[in-house]
Amino acid sequence: MTIFMRLNRTLKLRIIMTFIGVLGYSTVGSSMTIYYNHYLGAAITGVLLIISSVSSFLIGLYGGHLADRHGRRPILLIGSIISILGALIAVLSNSPIFQNPWTTFVGFFLLNFGFSFESAADNAMIIDVSDETNRKYVYSLSYWIINVSITFGAALSGWLFRDYLFDLLLGLLVAQLINGSIKYFLISESFVPASKAKKERESFIQNYGVVVRDKIFLLFIGAVILNKVIFGNIDFYLPVHLSDSFKTTTIFGFEIYGQRMLTIFLMLNTLIIIFSMTFINQLTTKWSERKSLTTGALLQGLGFAAAFLMNSFIPLILASIVMTIGEMILVPSSQSLRADLMNEEKIETYSGFVTITDPIGSVLSGSLVSFSVYIHHTGVAVVMVVVTVLLVLCFNQVMKMKTQADIASSKNT
């Protein structure tokens, strides 16, 4: 708490906005796949998710470009206005007097559009107002806050989404209005564009060319995409599978149906991370990078594959535990490897290139939702196993190439 109180005011406000924004969105966000699947079918749902993912990626790049030209605050405000408009459309599309899944999609499309538009400016502002002494703390606190807010949001979603969607959407709109007000009245500009910005924009393509020629980093990007395909299905195919196949059961008087099982799956994942991350880090601290990456990838991927084959409560709980342990082992190792592979003189360029993994992973995960109509849950589970094996092979090849590069570099010096 002492460190938090010493943070720049903008950082404090940003952490507060993260809690409000993630809490509001998580009450409905992960369940919207079930909503679209129910009204529009799995095939159309997959296409809609792909459209949303690709659009969000493209507008995110453009938002980052504008943030460098015009500063952070204008981009934050524009993104907030778009998100508020999207939330309002979603509310009106699920009111007691009017319900329409297509306009609901438009609302959420704009909501995600706004989020993506301001994302680069938001992240850049954190870097602007933090330093090496507190940046790690800020990111760690934000990660913890995100998991806590997801836990509360998912709990509300599981018990209220089916019968009180309109009320949850109203809460989402209020959350966007609160965050928008904070940005307008309390957040100040953290970056003044310099006159050399034009020159920097002209070298944009050349900078990314350096990354494209880095074979080790490109292979690592391939591994990250494969990992996105696996974990992305927590928002894509898993909701569809549970809504279609989960056997409704009653536990301690509570009816557990597909939507609530998804909520329990997500809450268990988040709670394990909140309370076990430190223990897992201590347990694996002496592991080699290769062992951590391989073990984490196998546990996470096979956990998901098992979840797609299961349709009852206890097996799904076990699958969630296995998947989450794998995630906790894999994430820090993967992030550490990514930092090691980056050219220190072009960290921003390398970091920007990593953003392509989200839309590509989302497109592939969304495609699985559409193809699941033909290959069913068994086929999707087989795909998960294949992707997991490819992920392990990619990580091992990256480590092999990195070791060879380190040896060659040491010989040259």
Side-chain angles (χ1 to χ4, degrees), residues 25-43:
Y25 188 80
S26 60
T27 61
V28 292
S30 62
S31 299
M32 291 311 298
T33 302
I34 292 178
Y35 175 94
Y36 297 135
N37 181 56
H38 174 74
Y39 286 104
L40 304 174

Side-chain angles (χ1 to χ4, degrees), residues 370-413:
S370 296
F371 281 115
S372 68
V373 175
Y374 308 103
I375 63 178
H376 308 294
H377 63 275
T378 303
V380 176
V382 171
V383 171
M384 285 295 100
V385 173
V386 173
V387 172
T388 299
V389 172
L390 291 175
L391 175 60
V392 171
L393 292 175
C394 274
F395 275 138
N396 277 274
Q397 184 62 26
V398 168
M399 292 303 302
K400 179 180 178 181
M401 294 172 67
K402 179 176 179 290
T403 301
Q404 293 174 344
D406 290 342
I407 293 174
S409 177
S410 62
K411 288 182 178 179
N412 292 333
T413 56

Side-chain angles (χ1 to χ4, degrees), residues 106-398:
V106 171
F108 272 86
F109 179 86
L110 290 175
L111 189 69
N112 291 320
F113 191 98
F115 287 159
S116 299
F117 184 76
E118 65 177 276
S119 177
D122 187 33
N123 291 326
M125 182 170 280
I126 295 175
I127 297 174
D128 293 339
V129 297
S130 64
D131 53 48
E132 294 180 358
T133 63
N134 60 23
R135 192 168 294 150
K136 184 177 180 180
Y137 170 80
V138 171
Y139 283 125
S140 298
L141 181 58
S142 294
Y143 180 73
W144 188 82
I145 286 291
I146 288 170
N147 280 280
V148 170
S149 52
I150 287 175
T151 300
F152 286 111
L156 291 172
S157 177
W159 264 255
L160 300 176
F161 185 87
R162 186 181 67 176
D163 302 319
Y164 298 96
L165 175 59
F166 177 69
D167 302 273
L168 292 178
L169 290 173
L170 276 177
L172 172 61
L173 176 59
V174 170
Q176 293 307 307
L177 288 170
I178 292 174
N179 277 354
S181 298
I182 292 174
K183 293 169 190 174
Y184 184 79
F185 293 106
L186 301 177
I187 296 292
S188 56
E189 182 58 76
S190 64
F191 173 77
V192 178
S195 58
K196 64 178 181 179
K198 181 178 179 180
K199 180 179 179 181
E200 292 174 349
R201 292 197 302 272
E202 291 173 349
S203 62
F204 179 85
I205 296 177
Q206 294 176 347
N207 285 337
Y208 278 102
V210 174
V211 184
V212 173
R213 291 190 294 271
D214 189 334
K215 295 180 180 179
I216 302 178
F217 195 76
L218 279 185
L219 184 58
F220 173 78
I221 289 296
V224 174
I225 291 172
L226 290 171
N227 188 55
K228 297 282 186 181
V229 172
I230 296 172
F231 196 80
N233 277 288
I234 203 168
D235 292 322
F236 287 85
Y237 182 70
L238 183 63
V240 173
H241 169 63
L242 293 180
S243 66
D244 290 344
S245 304
F246 182 73
K247 295 180 180 179
T248 301
T249 186
T250 301
I251 299 178
F252 301 120
F254 290 101
E255 182 184 20
I256 309 297
Y257 46 86
Q259 165 59 41
R260 287 183 175 174
M261 187 64 234
L262 174 64
T263 298
I264 293 171
F265 194 98
L266 295 173
M267 286 183 63
L268 183 59
N269 169 259
T270 306
L271 289 171
I272 292 174
I273 291 173
I274 291 174
F275 294 108
S276 303
M277 192 71 190
T278 301
F279 171 73
I280 293 295
N281 285 340
Q282 293 174 345
L283 184 67
T284 60
T285 185
K286 294 183 179 180
W287 287 16
S288 67
E289 236 175 6
R290 187 188 300 270
K291 181 179 179 180
S292 296
L293 292 168
T294 300
T295 304
L298 285 173
L299 289 176
Q300 179 181 267
L302 296 180
F304 268 107
F308 297 153
L309 294 173
M310 308 301 177
N311 60 5
S312 53
F313 185 79
I314 297 299
L316 282 164
I317 291 295
L318 294 176
S320 177
I321 293 172
V322 171
M323 178 273 293
T324 304
I325 293 174
E327 178 190 354
M328 288 190 292
I329 296 172
L330 179 62
V331 169
S333 300
S334 177
Q335 290 178 338
S336 175
L337 178 60
R338 181 177 69 182
D340 290 342
L341 294 175
M342 288 183 178
N343 183 332
E344 293 183 359
E345 297 179 357
K346 294 184 178 294
I347 289 180
E348 292 182 2
T349 303
Y350 274 72
S351 298
F353 194 80
V354 173
T355 61
I356 71 170
T357 61
D358 284 324
I360 295 176
S362 295
V363 167
L364 294 174
S365 296
S367 299
L368 272 180
V369 176
S370 296
F371 281 115
S372 68
V373 175
Y374 308 103
I375 63 178
H376 308 294
H377 63 275
T378 303
V380 176
V382 171
V383 171
M384 285 295 100
V385 173
V386 173
V387 172
T388 299
V389 172
L390 291 175
L391 175 60
V392 171
L393 292 175
C394 274
F395 275 138
N396 277 274
Q397 184 62 26
V398 168

